[in-house]
Amino acid sequence: DTFESGVHPVMGQTYLNKDRKYIQPTECIGHKHFRIDVNDNLLKQEIYSFIAKGEFESGNTPRGYCHFPSDYPRQHFIQLTNEQRIMERDKSGVAKLKWIQTGKNEQLDCRKYALAMVYAYREYVEAVLKENGNLEEDAVLSWHEFWNYLEG
């Protein structure tokens, strides 16, 4: 599957195959493109950790720092943070963390799917670089290399 069309269906999943961390392409029978299944739990955790980051005293920003326009309304941030993780016990008594939606969360969903597509595009770029011989077959494309690739 390629990213040439710029449009890919995505679907949040609670769990992915154990060898997939953030995203998992899934074939959609009768359709040209793959659906990108995203790990809801992991991406929400990452987004919430990013939101909590501040700038360094030096003025530099840490990986994942979230920049927001100053004119975003308060409602944007309410929707972005309208889920919380709670501990629940299943029928056998095993404690598990679960996300609970506390109101509208469209902004969180949009950010989650956008972040998932960044991971998907990074995997695509890595595959293209390996196919063209510009990256060793057993190498992993670092985030630094990925952003440099996008710049030019």
Side-chain angles (χ1 to χ4, degrees):
D1 201 14
T2 70
F3 279 83
E4 293 168 8
S5 72
V7 177
H8 288 273
V10 295
M11 183 173 192
Q13 299 289 347
T14 305
Y15 300 101
L16 298 179
N17 291 341
K18 65 180 178 179
D19 60 333
R20 303 299 300 199
K21 190 170 182 179
Y22 293 97
I23 60 164
Q24 175 178 308
T26 302
E27 186 175 357
C28 296
I29 297 171
H31 294 278
K32 176 180 161 184
H33 295 289
F34 282 75
R35 180 183 74 217
I36 306 293
D37 290 342
V38 303
N39 186 328
D40 271 345
N41 182 44
L42 198 56
L43 288 168
K44 287 176 192 175
Q45 287 178 59
E46 190 162 293
I47 289 167
Y48 274 52
S49 75
F50 289 168
I51 291 170
K53 291 183 178 190
E55 290 184 1
F56 295 130
E57 286 183 24
S58 65
N60 294 332
T61 54
R63 178 188 170 275
Y65 177 79
C66 295
H67 298 267
F68 296 102
S70 61
D71 62 346
Y72 269 20
R74 185 173 190 272
Q75 190 61 33
H76 174 88
F77 299 101
I78 290 170
Q79 286 190 15
L80 188 60
T81 57
N82 256 349
E83 290 196 25
Q84 53 185 295
R85 283 177 88 193
I86 62 165
M87 184 74 69
E88 275 192 351
R89 296 201 178 271
D90 64 15
K91 292 177 184 177
S92 61
V94 176
K96 294 186 177 190
L97 289 170
K98 179 180 178 180
W99 287 95
I100 301 294
Q101 187 174 330
T102 57
K104 288 185 176 185
N105 68 340
E106 286 86 357
Q107 298 302 330
L108 176 60
D109 284 344
C110 288
R111 195 164 197 95
K112 176 181 64 182
Y113 292 141
L115 181 59
M117 291 312 293
V118 170
Y119 280 107
Y121 192 60
R122 180 174 163 258
E123 283 189 13
Y124 171 74
V125 167
E126 182 178 286
V128 168
L129 290 173
K130 287 178 179 180
E131 186 177 298
N132 294 338
N134 296 323
L135 188 65
E136 294 293 323
E137 198 57 41
D138 59 345
V140 174
L141 183 66
S142 73
W143 282 109
H144 181 75
E145 293 167 326
F146 173 69
W147 294 120
N148 285 342
Y149 173 86
L150 292 180
E151 288 177 351

